[in-house]
Amino acid sequence: VFRYATIPHIVMSTETRKTFRLSSEEISLSRALEIIFTNTPKDHEVSDKYKRELWNRLMLAKRGLLEHASNAFIYKKGPVTAYYISDAGEPYKNIAWVVDDKNQNSALRIESNLENKTFRDILLSIKIKGS
């Protein structure tokens, strides 16, 4: 947790497939986030590619994550993809997962009550060391 006197805290953590209860053979964390952010339960063309139990878990995660959100975005910059929910509710209104294309089973989770534009600017400034 980064604590500041004049701006809201910024919380950072690492999440893996275990966070989303994914086994190693099912799906990558990056692909799971992509499905959560881009698909709905009515996307049968996509849902038919995965076991029913996995699809149901992903759609339940979508419901839980986006239940109070006003917007969800995906930002792609080089090898980095950020999945961002604004106005997500309590305790932090901004939540994002940042994934590196070379490590698709680990994500940096960032949360804060910063203004949406400031939070988005932080996401867009992330780059992989050495790139």
Side-chain angles (χ1 to χ4, degrees):
V1 177
F2 295 91
R3 299 181 194 276
Y4 301 99
T6 58
I7 63 170
H9 306 325
I10 299 172
V11 179
M12 297 171 66
S13 62
T14 302
E15 295 195 340
T16 64
R17 284 197 280 216
K18 285 184 180 181
T19 307
F20 288 83
R21 297 183 358 214
L22 304 171
S23 68
S24 61
E25 66 277 352
E26 287 181 309
I27 190 172
S28 70
L29 176 58
S30 179
R31 179 69 178 129
L33 286 165
E34 181 183 340
I35 288 172
I36 290 168
F37 275 73
T38 62
N39 295 112
T40 71
K42 295 181 181 182
D43 289 325
H44 300 292
E45 197 174 287
V46 177
S47 68
D48 290 344
K49 294 179 182 179
Y50 301 99
K51 292 179 183 175
R52 183 180 307 266
E53 180 186 341
L54 171 61
W55 183 258
N56 288 340
R57 281 198 322 257
L58 294 174
M59 291 300 103
L60 281 172
K62 178 183 188 84
R63 181 176 163 199
L65 291 170
L66 300 175
E67 186 172 33
H68 302 290
S70 61
N71 291 300
F73 305 94
I74 300 174
Y75 298 112
K76 179 91 172 136
K77 182 179 173 188
V80 175
T81 304
Y83 299 91
Y84 167 41
I85 301 170
S86 66
D87 301 318
E90 295 295 325
Y92 297 104
K93 71 177 188 176
N94 294 301
I95 302 172
W97 293 263
V98 181
V99 181
D100 174 8
D101 286 349
K102 294 178 185 165
N103 189 4
Q104 295 188 5
N105 289 308
S106 181
L108 174 65
R109 180 173 173 153
I110 307 169
E111 301 173 90
S112 183
N113 284 323
L114 291 167
E115 292 301 319
N116 292 345
K117 182 187 179 322
T118 304
F119 191 84
R120 188 193 73 219
D121 289 347
I122 290 171
L123 292 179
L124 294 174
S125 73
I126 295 173
K127 61 182 179 179
I128 302 301
K129 187 175 179 179
S131 51

